[in-house]
């Protein structure tokens, strides 16, 4: 299993969620965050407002999938979240050692 952590622009959330659902992703965690990337000392436009500070609102997605699906998930996020402007986000991929569905006790791939 892999954990895919992605930051995206907030207005892209619905489109990314739909794209991921359509390729078979069944669950994800979504968190409103603030962060910064490589323009930390500069400004980034968010909904027409220029943030002179270092932190810009983003959405963080955390998605655990079978390892065989990870590439497709990463490609789907990268393609769907892209505007071509700065601040489109980042995608990180980590290994996951164990998963459990609490209701049934199912483990690993069966728990997803
Ligand atoms: N190295 C990092 N580690 C952890 N989180 C990061 C890192 N870089 C960026 N982020 C997170 O991703 C969000 C989006 O970053 P961003 O897309 O601006 O990256 P970037 O490298 O500056 O790319 P771009 O040049 O397109 O702006 C940040 O707000 C932050 O939450
Ligand atoms: Mg940036």
């Amino acid at each position: 299993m892999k954990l895919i952590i992605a930051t995206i622009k907030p207005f892209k959330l619905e489109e990314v969620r739909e794209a991921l659902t359509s390729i078979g992703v069944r669950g994800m965690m979504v968190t409103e965050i603030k962060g910064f990337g490589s323009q930390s000392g500069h400004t980034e436009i968010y909904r027409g407002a220029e943030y002179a500070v270092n932190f810009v609102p983003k959405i963080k997605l955390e998605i655990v999938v079978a390892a065989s699906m990870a590439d497709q998930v990463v490609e789907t996020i990268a393609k769907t979240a892209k505007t071509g402007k700065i601040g489109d986000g980042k995608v990180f991929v980590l290994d996951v050692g164990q998963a459990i569905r609490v209701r049934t006790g199912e483990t690993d791939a069966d728990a997803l």
Side-chain angles (χ1 to χ4, degrees):
M1 295 170 291
K2 299 281 185 182
L3 167 61
I4 294 146
I5 301 176
T7 55
I8 63 173
K9 290 180 169 169
F11 81 92
K12 281 286 189 180
L13 174 60
E14 200 49 34
E15 199 183 332
V16 170
R17 187 195 59 77
E18 276 173 26
L20 290 174
T21 302
S22 77
I23 63 164
V25 170
R26 280 177 295 188
M28 68 184 70
M29 302 187 214
V30 180
T31 314
E32 294 179 6
I33 64 157
K34 291 178 181 176
F36 63 87
S38 52
Q39 289 82 24
S40 58
H42 300 262
T43 56
E44 185 179 324
I45 303 294
Y46 174 73
R47 290 200 172 156
E50 208 176 276
Y51 279 68
V53 294
N54 290 343
F55 292 106
V56 180
K58 299 286 175 187
I59 295 288
K60 181 175 72 168
L61 303 176
E62 292 164 285
I63 305 161
V64 178
V65 293
S68 59
M69 261 189 80
D71 286 348
Q72 198 188 358
V73 169
V74 170
E75 283 162 23
T76 298
I77 295 170
K79 187 179 68 181
T80 312
K82 181 169 181 168
T83 68
K85 300 202 167 70
I86 61 168
D88 273 353
K90 287 268 168 73
V91 183
F92 304 107
V93 182
L94 293 73
D95 290 322
V96 172
Q98 197 178 359
I100 300 169
R101 187 195 309 276
V102 172
R103 174 172 59 85
T104 58
E106 291 167 290
T107 58
D108 298 344
D110 294 332
L112 304 179

